[in-house]
Amino acid sequence: MTNLAAYLDSRAGPELAAAIGELAAAAARISAEIRAPRRVLDAVAGDVNADGDTQKALDVLADEIILGAARQAGAAAYMSEEREAAIPLEPDGPFIIASDPLDGSSNIGVNVSIGTIFSVLPTAGAGLVAGRAQHAAGFFVYGPQTTLLVTVGAGVASFRMDADGNFQMIDDNVRIPEQTGEFAINAGNQRYWLPPVQRYIADCVAGADGPRGRNFSQRYVGSLVAEAWRIFSRGGVFLYPADSRDGFADGRLRLVYEAAPMALLVEQAGGRATDGTRDILDITPTAVHQRVPLVFGSSEEVDEVASQHAAG
Ligand code: AHM
Ligand code: MG
């Protein structure tokens, strides 16, 4: 069986391979911390992050651990959901690491899957470059199993962590099915959605009786990494659109360390990721914590959402 180190040796340069190896070791530590026998999952750290969210103790711990990995990897800088600004590290470092160290924070306390998302970026533009320029991207899921999906720009591979904290390959060519009968969106926000999303979801819900002519199921965990793992496994479409609430004109998710790494994985697995119309990978961020509407998954559905946007 191939492990992560062997996979990276054959597809990435030594510095990039070592950096992803450091991130995997960090994820093994985070996984162990989450499973520590006396861990109170939703213990609060008492601070608020760059986004105004109350930080949980695990958010802070995961951020420290990923920062340690970035430092070990010799990264030039570290950008994180939990830090206001980029942290400068090795002045001559070959790349920048961006991360959401603990995605799905609001779910920590209910024992559903949470994860770590990462992006390895060129140093040009202080890391604020279009997602297509990423050297690598991936995410770990801390669920019933600890898993990893990673791309170094040559397809997507999946791994599961063994008892020794090593990542063993599951699949060396993960592909997102083009068609799906599952959509994921926070329907509690329906009254705030804009007309294209209203129409798209109404057509899905109308099922076999509507214009789509077939039935859909809804799935929504509220944890991006968990939705994504499901979509990479069996297809699906995820939407966190712009809506009319104050502060949601660009949706909720962050471009640099959530949407862009996810989009690189999605495209490398044959799916699509857009903000409704534009490819996420073509958007150049102007700020570390910039938000972006996100639609990703099975290409047929992402295209359908785009055609609803084209219709106005
Ligand atoms: P987080 O990075 O603070 O955990 O926030 C991101 C999360 C995603 O994991 C998830 O897709 C989304 O926010 C859920 O938002 P909502 O509760 O508004 O549906
Ligand atoms: Mg997140």
Side-chain angles (χ1 to χ4, degrees):
M1 195 195 303
T2 309
N3 64 21
L4 178 63
Y7 175 78
L8 293 171
D9 276 351
S10 67
R11 284 181 173 73
E15 285 169 329
L16 184 58
I20 297 171
E22 292 293 344
L23 289 164
R29 263 193 72 196
I30 295 170
S31 176
E33 292 285 355
I34 290 167
R35 287 166 222 279
R38 275 193 254 286
R39 169 70 57 197
V40 176
L41 286 170
D42 57 354
V44 168
D47 240 335
V48 291
N49 68 12
D51 213 31
D53 295 336
T54 303
Q55 285 180 315
K56 307 277 173 61
L58 270 178
D59 280 320
V60 175
L61 186 60
D63 180 59
E64 287 294 339
I65 292 173
I66 300 295
L67 169 61
R71 194 170 268 136
Q72 285 296 321
Y78 171 62
M79 298 196 282
S80 161
E81 177 177 352
E82 304 303 329
R83 314 242 170 194
E84 192 75 47
I87 308 291
L89 298 171
E90 196 60 52
D92 297 325
F95 40 65
I96 290 172
I97 291 178
S99 179
D100 179 353
L102 209 66
D103 179 64
S105 283
S106 64
N107 279 318
I108 292 176
V110 295
N111 200 29
V112 309
S113 296
I114 50 183
T116 298
I117 307 171
F118 66 88
S119 165
V120 184
L121 290 153
T123 53
L128 297 180
V129 291
R132 233 172 259 295
Q134 291 171 97
H135 295 309
F139 66 89
F140 300 91
V141 183
Y142 312 113
Q145 299 184 326
T146 291
T147 55
L148 163 66
L149 269 184
V150 65
T151 181
V152 291
V156 174
S158 58
F159 298 85
R160 100 167 42 88
M161 197 182 77
D162 65 19
D164 300 320
N166 296 315
F167 284 83
Q168 307 294 345
M169 185 176 277
I170 305 169
D171 186 350
D172 71 351
N173 186 24
V174 175
R175 305 296 296 171
I176 299 177
E178 275 169 43
Q179 296 183 334
T180 183
E182 290 183 346
F183 66 90
I185 191 167
N186 184 341
N189 298 324
Q190 178 170 8
R191 66 195 181 285
Y192 303 113
W193 297 339
L194 306 177
V197 172
Q198 293 282 6
R199 288 194 302 267
Y200 172 72
I201 297 295
D203 288 354
C204 290
V205 171
D209 300 331
R212 303 299 306 274
R214 60 193 175 89
N215 292 327
F216 285 78
S217 288
Q218 192 238 19
R219 296 280 180 276
Y220 194 72
V221 184
S223 174
L224 179 62
V225 291
E227 322 280 2
W229 189 270
R230 183 187 65 247
I231 289 169
F232 281 91
S233 302
R234 66 181 193 207
V237 60
F238 171 92
L239 301 93
Y240 209 117
D243 67 46
S244 63
R245 286 174 293 167
D246 279 351
F248 285 82
D250 289 314
R252 170 182 169 130
L253 298 171
R254 277 61 52 115
L255 175 57
V256 174
Y257 45 80
E258 291 179 319
M262 206 52 87
L264 190 66
L265 289 161
V266 167
E267 284 206 1
Q268 287 288 324
R272 274 201 80 194
T274 71
D275 67 353
T277 50
R278 282 179 303 171
D279 284 347
I280 293 289
L281 295 180
D282 290 335
I283 304 173
T284 301
T286 54
V288 177
H289 301 290
Q290 180 174 331
R291 293 174 195 273
V292 70
L294 178 60
V295 179
F296 75 86
S298 297
S299 58
E300 200 171 89
E301 293 310 308
V302 179
D303 289 348
E304 182 68 28
V305 175
S307 55
Q308 289 292 358
H309 280 82

